[in-house]
Structure formats: C-alpha cells, structure tokens
Amino acid sequence: MRFLSGLSGTDKEDMGLKYVLDELSILTGLGRERLNRLVFFDCKSQNALVRELENVKAIVSEYGSAEITGIANSLTMVKDLRKTVESIRSRALDQTELFELKCFLIISEDIRRQSNILVKRCNVTDIELCDTKAALDVLDFDGKMSMTFFIDSKLSKTLENARNEKAAIERKMHELSLAGNSEGVAELRKKRGLFAEAEAEEEAVVKNRLTEQLRPFADLIEFNLEVIGYLDILIAKANCAKRFGAVMPEITEETTVVITKAFNPYVCDILARAGKTFTPVSVELKRGTTVITGANMGGKSVSLKTFALNAALAMLGFFVFAEDMRLCVFDDISLIFDDGESVKKGLSSFGGQVIKLNNAVRKQKAGRNFFVADEFAGGTNPQEGRLIVKSVANYFNKRDCVAVMTTHFDDVITREIGHYSVVGLKNANMNELRKKLALNPASSLKLISEAMDYSLQKACYDENPPRDAFNICALLGAEEEITQRQSW
C-alpha cells in the first residue's frame, strides 16, 4: 500500500480529491492524523480493500442508528493521548494526565460497548476495542465513572496524615489571624510548609504507583487509540457516502474501469455557485488505451478528473460518486494535467509533462497503473505532438494498465485503441442558439455552455475530433473570413 502523499498537492486539488477529504466530518485528532496517512490499496492488498469497502457499506447501513450516533457523540470527547501512553512506559504521569486518561478510559469503554453491538449486527470488522476496564478501575477509586480525578487521601495513610495535619494547622492559623496574632500565624506557616511538602512528596509516590499499575495496559490503550482513529475515518466515509449519494464500487479481476453517470462534487460545487449543473459522464475503459476527443469547452478535462477522482477514492476505500462503478485494483495512479507547477520550477509545460510521463512509465513497469493524461503535448509542434501522442497511446495500449487520454490531434487513434468523443454541439439547434446570442451577446459563453452536451459517446477509431471549434468561433462573433473552413 502507498501513502496518499504520492499524489502532488496540485493533482489532489485539480481532480477534486482535496475537496472531498476537506469535506469529511472528522471528529477526533486521531482521525485527522490517520487521514494524513491514508494509503492507496494496491494489487497485493486487494482483499484488504474489499474488506474496507464492506466495512463502509456496513456503517452506511447503520447510519443514523443509536449506536452510530452514540459513537459519534463519544468521539467528539476523545483526546489524542498517544504521547501520554508513551509516557506511561517511562515516567510517572502527572495529575492532569491521569485525569485525561481516566476520561478516555470511560469514553472508550462506552465506544467499545456500542461497537461490539455493530460487530454482531452487521459484521463490520477491525473496530473491536480491547477491554480496559481493569485500567479504569485503577483510576476510578469510587466506582462512579465520573469525569473527575484527584489524588484521594484513601490511597495512602501517609498522605492522609499529612493532609489532616496541614488542615489542622490551617484552621489554627485562621483562629490566630482573627485574634491578630501575626507572630503565631508566621510560626504555624512554617509548620504548614513542612506538611505541604510531605503531602506533595507522598502525592508523587501515589502517582508513580498508579502509573506502574497502568503500565501493563499501555499496549491495549494504544491499540484502542488506533482503532478509534480508524472508526472515526470509517464513520466519516459513511457520512460522505450518505451526503453525496455515493455507491460501493465493484472490484473486479479484469483490467478495466467502467463507470456510469459519474460526477465530481468539487466541480458540482463550483457549477452550483454559478447556477449551473453537472452533466454526469459514463465510460468503459478497457485494458490498454482509450482516447477522448472533443473541442474546447466540451468538458474533456472535467471528465478525466472525474474518472481519476473516483478511481482514487475507490483505491482509498471510499464509496464513489457515480450510479455504478466497476474497476480493478491498481498499484498506482499517474496523472498529467495542466502543469502550472512545472512552469513555476522553470520547466516548459511540455517538459513537465514529459517528466510526469517518465514517472508513469516507471510506475507501469512496477505494477498495474491507471494513467490519465489531459492534452499531452498539446502545446508543442502539432506534427510532432500528434506523433508523440500516438506513440504514448500505443505504448500504454500494449501494457496491463488502463490509460485514458484527451487530445485535439487527428489520426492518433488506431483500430486497437478505444475512442470516445464529447457530444458537444452536435445535437444543438444552431439557428436557435444564434438567435439567443444575438439578443444577449454579453452572455455568449454562458449560452454556448448551456447548449453544450458534455456527455461522452463511443466513436469509431477513424473518426477525427469534432470540429466544434469553428462553430464556437462563429458563435462568438469571429470574422467570417476567419471562421470559413478552408483547406490550407
């Protein structure tokens, strides 16, 4: 399994993964820390991925139950005590640490009880906490399970005597103070200091003894902290699925990605703020390479990012944003989007793409890869660019991978390569659209966008990219001499 950090921050943001992770309802510091070390399941951990998805399914089925609600409420009170647990092994805990540990043991006991009900009822795995009631008994002196803690005098006769003597002196000091005997008060203050010092020393002895009694439970408490972090993430995944209407992906042995009516919440949010809606996209990506063609403004890049987002979420054990999805397990995901980061580093956009391509090839040699490239070589010489894109498409088409690319170049797709095209303005009523543009030229881009069909359709291998670019130029009022189609 690989850490999520294998994807760049730009990649995570562009595809919408950062948006999804930021929207998760994480309730504990343990959950947030675990989120930071999320890993992609790979081919070797396929069984673990299936188990994770089944766990999310189980929690989704129980969402809103008394147990899930109770666990969520308890999680809001959990503190990250891993440093405290580590300290148990090497030194005596102070009173604050003992108080926080007692509170955690009470809360975790409640979580354990409710999670055990879920385990029996819906077969969810990996959420069973260890029984730490014996550790709680060390700190819960009166058995009241109260969220308070103090060093009780009953824990030590020496401590009890020191406190009694100190209290008696304090009462005497009060009497002398009322009588105006300042010298007597000063003398008693010295004696009180001696007993206060004895009290502090004995409290240290008691805290050390309590810590020693807790030390055998350190591993169990540490294990429970880890399980609680996982439970927090699991409930957050279920909450995400319920909130966005996500579905459980089907994991298959076949090298493929098949997704029906997929959407991207990040893009949906952006469109909603502009009063627009997202057009769900469907595609069947078979082993090898599939190329998507279509004019600018056709949504090819958004489609790619939607496929990449959902594949990444599936490999992270999340439900996916689609009506249905079936895919294999990948060892890695390689993304080549518009590379502004490479320009910042002093590389050309094409140079940055080539570096990412090299990384993708290296990853493919190490295992099964999901390769996603948006307009690769689109900014270079068209003749060379076409040949390079064709070579890249043919290279990945011979490998055990799923590769999907977008391009504007003609004659890139061979009979062996899959081909989809954006419907675009193909079915639009152009005369009606021209009338709308004439009446409201200031909203030209908005009106064209509304007329655009962003869905994908299968195309023949020898079908060249749509010529919507000329239509768009004409609709936006470019000179007729420019928009006339000519053979050069």
Side-chain angles (χ1 to χ4, degrees):
M1 293 189 280
R2 295 184 306 102
F3 282 104
L4 181 58
S5 56
L7 286 177
S8 73
T10 303
D11 286 339
K12 284 184 275 191
E13 185 166 2
D14 283 351
M15 67 197 286
L17 182 57
K18 180 179 182 300
Y19 175 89
V20 173
L21 297 180
D22 287 347
E23 288 292 305
L24 291 178
S25 300
I26 305 297
L27 302 174
T28 69
L30 296 164
R32 282 186 288 274
E33 192 277 335
R34 193 176 180 105
L35 181 66
N36 290 333
R37 49 187 177 91
L38 273 182
V39 294
F40 284 116
F41 293 89
D42 55 23
C43 293
K44 293 179 181 178
S45 54
Q46 179 169 325
N47 290 338
L49 171 58
V50 172
R51 187 171 70 246
E52 175 71 4
L53 291 171
E54 289 290 347
N55 278 349
V56 177
K57 179 182 177 182
I59 299 300
V60 167
S61 70
E62 290 287 335
Y63 206 80
S65 68
E67 287 73 28
I68 294 295
T69 302
I71 290 172
N73 288 337
S74 294
L75 289 176
T76 62
M77 297 184 285
V78 170
K79 293 191 67 173
D80 184 351
L81 297 185
R82 285 172 299 170
K83 290 184 179 180
T84 298
V85 175
E86 188 59 36
S87 296
I88 292 176
R89 299 185 174 102
S90 58
R91 64 169 176 82
L93 300 185
D94 62 33
Q95 186 157 329
T96 299
E97 290 170 322
L98 290 168
F99 162 69
E100 291 178 340
L101 186 56
K102 180 188 176 184
C103 292
F104 171 76
L105 291 169
I106 293 172
I107 295 166
S108 64
E109 185 61 25
D110 189 54
I111 293 174
R112 186 177 75 88
R113 177 183 58 80
Q114 297 185 89
S115 63
N116 284 347
I117 294 174
L118 294 176
V119 169
K120 293 176 182 177
R121 194 161 67 205
C122 60
N123 296 319
V124 62
T125 62
D126 306 320
I127 66 166
E128 292 181 274
L129 277 69
C130 295
D131 186 348
T132 53
K133 184 65 169 61
L136 176 57
D137 289 342
V138 173
L139 301 176
D140 188 28
F141 315 127
D142 55 12
K144 293 181 179 179
M145 301 278 282
S146 60
M147 294 284 199
T148 58
F149 180 80
F150 62 98
I151 304 297
D152 198 308
S153 297
K154 296 177 183 178
L155 295 172
S156 165
K157 191 65 177 176
T158 302
L159 179 61
E160 184 179 12
N161 292 337
R163 286 178 173 173
N164 288 340
E165 291 290 343
K166 188 181 76 168
I169 292 173
E170 288 171 345
R171 288 193 296 272
K172 186 65 175 177
M173 288 172 62
H174 180 65
E175 292 172 2
L176 293 177
S177 177
L178 292 176
N181 188 345
S182 58
E183 291 183 3
V185 170
E187 185 65 27
L188 288 176
R189 185 177 289 113
K190 293 177 183 178
K191 290 183 179 181
R192 180 195 176 280
L194 295 174
F195 284 107
E197 186 176 325
E199 177 189 24
E201 290 175 355
E202 188 59 21
E203 282 183 353
V205 171
V206 172
K207 285 183 281 191
N208 186 63
R209 186 170 72 245
L210 291 175
T211 303
E212 287 179 352
Q213 291 176 282
L214 291 167
R215 194 160 289 146
F217 302 102
D219 289 346
L220 297 181
I221 297 170
E222 192 169 59
F223 175 83
N224 283 356
L225 286 164
E226 188 68 19
V227 172
I228 285 172
Y230 171 65
L231 190 53
D232 192 6
I233 291 290
L234 197 59
I235 292 175
K237 286 181 176 182
N239 175 273
C240 179
K242 295 288 287 185
R243 175 183 172 189
F244 291 105
V247 300
M248 178 176 170
E250 176 189 347
I251 304 301
T252 179
E253 298 293 337
E254 180 186 2
T255 303
T256 187
V257 174
V258 181
I259 190 163
T260 304
K261 294 185 178 179
F263 63 96
N264 188 319
Y266 175 54
V267 180
C268 287
D269 192 16
I270 294 172
L271 291 175
R273 289 198 293 268
K276 301 178 182 179
T277 58
F278 187 95
T279 301
V281 286
S282 304
V283 74
E284 180 180 359
L285 306 175
K286 298 181 179 179
R287 183 184 186 276
T289 304
T290 299
V291 175
I292 298 174
T293 58
N296 283 330
M297 294 181 65
K300 299 188 305 299
S301 297
V302 171
S303 294
L304 277 195
K305 291 172 183 179
T306 299
F307 303 147
L309 169 65
N310 283 289
L313 287 171
M315 296 303 102
L316 288 168
F318 281 74
F319 277 21
V320 294
F321 305 119
E323 187 176 281
D324 182 72
M325 185 174 189
R326 177 167 56 89
L327 77 166
C328 61
V329 180
F330 295 101
D331 288 303
D332 224 316
I333 297 176
S334 300
L335 308 175
I336 303 179
F337 296 136
D338 182 33
D339 200 16
E341 287 300 309
S342 292
V343 175
K344 292 177 184 178
K345 294 176 182 176
L347 296 172
S348 69
S349 177
F350 179 62
Q353 288 183 332
V354 172
I355 289 174
K356 288 189 174 184
L357 174 64
N358 293 340
N359 289 333
V361 169
R362 175 179 53 78
K363 291 176 181 179
Q364 179 56 40
K365 290 179 179 179
R368 185 161 56 188
N369 193 22
F370 184 41
F371 174 68
V372 181
D374 186 24
E375 299 291 351
F376 186 80
T380 192
N381 176 285
Q383 290 182 332
E384 286 187 305
R386 179 180 66 81
L387 293 174
I388 291 170
V389 170
K390 191 169 186 176
S391 294
V392 171
N394 286 332
Y395 176 88
F396 284 102
N397 198 53
K398 298 173 184 176
R399 269 67 188 177
D400 182 29
C401 70
V402 174
V404 56
M405 307 171 63
T406 62
T407 188
H408 284 104
F409 295 131
D410 292 340
D411 303 320
V412 166
I413 304 159
T414 62
R415 189 184 299 272
E416 295 78 20
I417 290 174
H419 182 200
Y420 279 81
S421 66
V422 178
V423 175
L425 296 172
K426 180 179 179 180
N427 301 319
N429 186 325
M430 300 302 287
N431 289 329
E432 186 67 26
L433 181 56
R434 290 188 186 94
K435 291 178 183 178
K436 290 181 180 179
L437 293 172
L439 292 172
N440 194 359
S443 300
S444 296
L445 289 174
K446 181 176 181 293
L447 292 170
I448 293 173
S449 176
E450 290 173 351
M452 189 80 67
D453 185 342
Y454 296 101
S455 59
L456 301 176
Q457 62 182 6
K458 282 190 174 182
C460 297
Y461 77 93
D462 56 354
E463 184 177 326
N464 280 323
R467 300 296 187 236
D468 275 344
F470 274 110
N471 287 332
I472 292 171
C473 284
L475 290 169
L476 290 175
E479 286 288 333
E480 184 176 350
E481 184 178 349
I482 294 174
T483 59
Q484 285 178 341
R485 301 192 184 193
Q486 304 179 43
S487 298
W488 298 92

